[in-house]
Amino acid sequence: MKNKKKGFTFVEILVLVGVLSIIVGSILTVVVSWQRSWNISKVQMDVQSQARRAMSKITEELIQTSQSKVSINVARDVITFQLPNNDYAGGTFTWGDQIQYSLISGPTGISQLLRTNLTTGQTEILASYINGMQFTLANGIISIQVTVDKTPKGEQNPVIIQLDSQVSLRNL
């Protein structure tokens, strides 16, 4: 009588382990790739949000001023201007707060867009990861260029967004 044992042979177990290893490796590759893509997309959305927030606030205030009330320091990426008061006394505008936008390096080394009310001394950080601002003034129109970049975790290449806008100043 032959002794028949039920079970798997060593070769069958090795084949099974090999096939499972390939399947698990493929799944892990897909998951890691998906996670990396998700992380990059998240950083892209953050960078776009930062750039839009910065550009929106700058243009919202610049549209209120006039060319004679604007000073641009190209070397330091700084713009200073004065806002009109909400009154129109005697047929002329009266001018109020002096505002300055500038780039600073935050405590963690991340560049930030700083809005300073030079009249009251109040400061506000409007956006982070702003790597560059450029202002040019010609014929009552200010051209603004804001560059934002941020490197996702585990990546070497930064996500870079550049927004351009033009603002027509009041003719006062």
Side-chain angles (χ1 to χ4, degrees):
M1 201 172 203
K2 255 186 167 175
N3 186 7
K4 284 194 167 188
K5 290 184 180 178
K6 293 187 178 185
F8 298 106
T9 66
F10 183 68
V11 173
E12 290 172 329
I13 292 175
L14 282 178
V15 169
L16 179 63
V17 167
V19 170
L20 286 176
S21 295
I22 292 171
I23 292 171
V24 169
S26 298
I27 291 172
L28 284 175
T29 301
V30 169
V31 168
V32 167
S33 176
W34 174 82
Q35 184 179 19
R36 181 174 178 252
S37 177
W38 173 264
N39 192 27
I40 290 171
S41 295
K42 186 176 167 187
V43 168
Q44 284 174 332
M45 289 188 315
D46 182 41
V47 165
Q48 286 175 347
S49 172
Q50 296 287 333
R52 286 187 183 136
R53 182 180 15 224
M55 189 64 79
S56 175
K57 185 66 174 181
I58 293 169
T59 57
E60 176 185 312
E61 289 190 326
L62 277 175
I63 202 164
Q64 299 176 48
T65 194
S66 80
Q67 185 168 340
S68 65
K69 301 295 180 180
V70 175
S71 170
I72 298 172
N73 184 335
V74 179
R76 293 190 327 137
D77 298 331
V78 175
I79 187 167
T80 306
F81 57 93
Q82 201 165 6
L83 293 175
N85 287 321
N86 289 332
D87 58 357
Y88 189 65
T92 60
F93 279 99
T94 59
W95 294 94
D97 292 350
Q98 191 171 21
I99 307 298
Q100 183 177 73
Y101 286 96
S102 58
L103 291 179
I104 63 166
S105 183
T108 59
I110 296 171
S111 58
Q112 298 172 321
L113 174 62
L114 182 69
R115 178 191 182 272
T116 305
N117 184 325
L118 298 174
T119 307
T120 65
Q122 292 178 313
T123 61
E124 174 185 7
I125 295 173
L126 292 179
S128 297
Y129 303 101
I130 306 292
N131 220 24
M133 287 189 323
Q134 190 173 35
F135 301 97
T136 53
L137 175 59
N139 301 320
I141 296 174
I142 293 182
S143 297
I144 308 165
Q145 185 178 74
V146 174
T147 305
V148 184
D149 77 32
K150 183 178 179 181
T151 304
K153 288 182 183 175
E155 297 294 319
Q156 294 180 356
N157 298 325
V159 173
I160 301 172
I161 300 290
Q162 182 177 311
L163 287 181
D164 298 307
S165 184
Q166 291 187 331
V167 176
S168 295
L169 302 175
R170 286 184 171 186
N171 190 13
L172 300 175

